[in-house]
Amino acid sequence: MQLPQIYLSIEPTGPAQWNAITFGPIFHQNLSASNTGQGGSVVRVTQHGSRAVLNDDVDISVEFGMEADDIQIDALLDWVKPANFQYDNARPFFVDLFYGGNLVDRVIAVWIDQYRAALPLPYSVTADGGVPGAVPTWHVSRRSFLLVRLVDQLRGGLEFDRYFALSGLSLDRA
């Protein structure tokens, strides 16, 4: 199966077509080590908090919730403040798409408004070729839109469409 076919399988679904697993270990951990400065080291283990498997094709699964705040995300600050969302309440996280147990796509999403909704992290486009001071427009791919909308629905969110409309984001056609 090719990646576009996986997204075509996901697009018409909602929470009722997915088996959500929201407790226990997920078995896809992120391990990192840091030096304590006193001759020792600390190992940090993070993982997604939730997993959902497509009922009609168990090879397709989504895991989400692993925080992404340890990576530098310039777009977060640049987009969140003009969109009138509180930056200090915005929490980036990973949404991972698996096929047959293999990671095939990753999207960065953002919990906004104290976890009331999740939105895809956008990228900026300036029509004038990037002239300093130009106001960018913020875009999201159709794939990231579909994946994050699904995640928001799986966790019981009801306001994805309203928050997306408030966000000032533009949805790419492809």
Side-chain angles (χ1 to χ4, degrees):
M1 182 175 284
Q2 295 181 351
L3 194 55
Q5 292 171 301
I6 296 171
Y7 276 98
L8 287 174
S9 298
I10 291 172
E11 186 169 6
T13 67
Q17 288 81 35
W18 292 81
N19 181 37
I21 303 166
T22 58
F23 61 92
I26 303 294
F27 304 111
H28 290 123
Q29 290 90 9
N30 179 32
L31 302 172
S32 61
S34 60
N35 197 342
T36 64
Q38 299 174 351
S41 61
V42 174
V43 176
R44 182 175 172 223
V45 181
T46 58
Q47 69 177 7
H48 292 290
S50 298
R51 177 181 176 90
V53 179
L54 186 59
N55 292 332
D56 291 339
D57 187 346
V58 296
D59 280 331
I60 299 173
S61 62
V62 176
E63 293 183 8
F64 58 94
M66 185 186 310
E67 293 181 0
D69 52 352
D70 59 335
I71 61 173
Q72 181 64 25
I73 305 173
D74 294 331
L76 185 60
L77 179 60
D78 294 341
W79 161 68
V80 168
K81 287 210 180 229
N84 294 319
F85 297 129
Q86 293 183 3
Y87 178 75
D88 53 347
N89 287 330
R91 300 284 181 254
F93 67 99
F94 294 112
V95 178
D96 289 341
L97 177 62
F98 291 87
Y99 183 76
N102 296 302
L103 179 64
V104 295
D105 204 3
R106 171 171 281 167
V107 170
I108 297 176
V110 181
W111 294 118
I112 56 163
D113 203 10
Q114 297 182 342
Y115 298 91
R116 285 191 179 90
L119 292 174
L121 184 70
Y123 62 92
S124 65
V125 175
T126 52
D128 58 10
V131 173
V135 177
T137 57
W138 296 97
H139 293 256
V140 297
S141 70
R142 182 148 182 79
R143 289 178 177 178
S144 64
F145 175 87
L146 290 171
L147 212 49
V148 176
R149 182 179 66 181
L150 173 65
V151 163
D152 197 64
Q153 292 171 345
L154 286 168
R155 65 157 197 98
L158 301 172
E159 299 190 73
F160 177 86
D161 293 330
R162 182 173 82 83
Y163 275 98
F164 190 83
L166 291 172
S167 70
L169 299 176
S170 297
L171 181 60
D172 292 346
R173 292 179 187 228

